[in-house]
Amino acid sequence: MIIENIVTNIESLDKEEVGKRHIEKVYLESADLVKRIQRVKSDHGKEIGIRLKDQRDLVAGDILFMDEKNIIMIDVLSDDLIAISPRSLKEMGTIAHQLGNRHLPAQFEDDQMLVQYDYLVEELLKQLEIPFKREERKVKQAFRHIGHSHG
């Protein structure tokens, strides 16, 4: 089976619609969500080729295939993350500036900034006394570097 288009995302479907179908999952590392062409295997052992026509990243919950009885969807494996919880705008600005200087991609969920674990970031947060937790957590999308130059 070769998938060229995403059907929809599971979050956009009615729960009743989802409940009528058997769900098969393809587990990906968050870094693999940016790959438009890849060969994957579902949790039922089904080999699937992904060759997306659209210029878009995969997202957790994307449905690769759906019929009256089945859904094959993307799920994401947990990442080793640092969840940063600044207590003030000053702390947020300080850590955002520091991480930006290191060109580290970040994501935001609720009041937390998420970055992939790095012992140097952990040491920096301890030094700056900014609250954080290291945890295994699923993210919905890939950590993506934003291209730019200092020229």
Side-chain angles (χ1 to χ4, degrees), residues 1-6 24 26 28 35-42 45-53 58 63-65 72 74:
M1 171 184 292
I2 296 181
I3 305 300
E4 294 183 329
N5 297 298
I6 301 304
E24 194 170 340
V26 172
L28 298 178
K35 296 179 182 176
R36 287 183 38 246
I37 300 171
Q38 57 187 309
R39 184 180 240 26
V40 297
K41 192 177 274 194
S42 76
K46 186 178 292 176
E47 294 233 355
I48 301 167
I50 299 174
R51 185 176 59 219
L52 297 180
K53 290 181 177 180
L58 293 166
I63 295 177
L64 304 176
F65 172 83
I72 301 175
I74 299 291

Side-chain angles (χ1 to χ4, degrees), residues 1-114:
M1 171 184 292
I2 296 181
I3 305 300
E4 294 183 329
N5 297 298
I6 301 304
V7 175
T8 188
N9 192 286
I10 195 113
E11 292 180 11
S12 66
L13 293 177
D14 183 89
K15 291 194 186 310
E16 194 174 304
E17 283 290 307
V18 174
K20 291 191 263 183
R21 294 172 170 89
H22 172 75
I23 297 178
E24 194 170 340
K25 293 185 178 181
V26 172
Y27 289 97
L28 298 178
E29 292 187 17
S30 64
D32 292 334
L33 295 172
V34 299
K35 296 179 182 176
R36 287 183 38 246
I37 300 171
Q38 57 187 309
R39 184 180 240 26
V40 297
K41 192 177 274 194
S42 76
D43 60 352
H44 289 49
K46 186 178 292 176
E47 294 233 355
I48 301 167
I50 299 174
R51 185 176 59 219
L52 297 180
K53 290 181 177 180
D54 295 335
Q55 290 278 44
R56 79 185 276 287
D57 293 346
L58 293 166
V59 177
D62 276 349
I63 295 177
L64 304 176
F65 172 83
M66 182 170 72
D67 63 15
E68 300 79 35
K69 295 181 181 178
N70 298 296
I71 289 176
I72 301 175
M73 66 174 265
I74 299 291
D75 202 350
V76 182
L77 297 169
S78 296
D79 278 306
D80 188 7
L81 301 177
I82 297 176
I84 305 166
S85 302
R87 295 167 292 219
S88 68
L89 188 58
K90 182 179 180 190
E91 281 186 352
M92 183 63 197
T94 299
I95 195 59
H97 178 74
Q98 291 284 338
L99 297 179
N101 278 342
R102 296 161 197 235
H103 305 287
L104 288 179
Q107 294 184 26
F108 298 87
E109 285 185 13
D110 301 318
D111 292 337
Q112 292 184 319
M113 175 188 249
L114 305 176

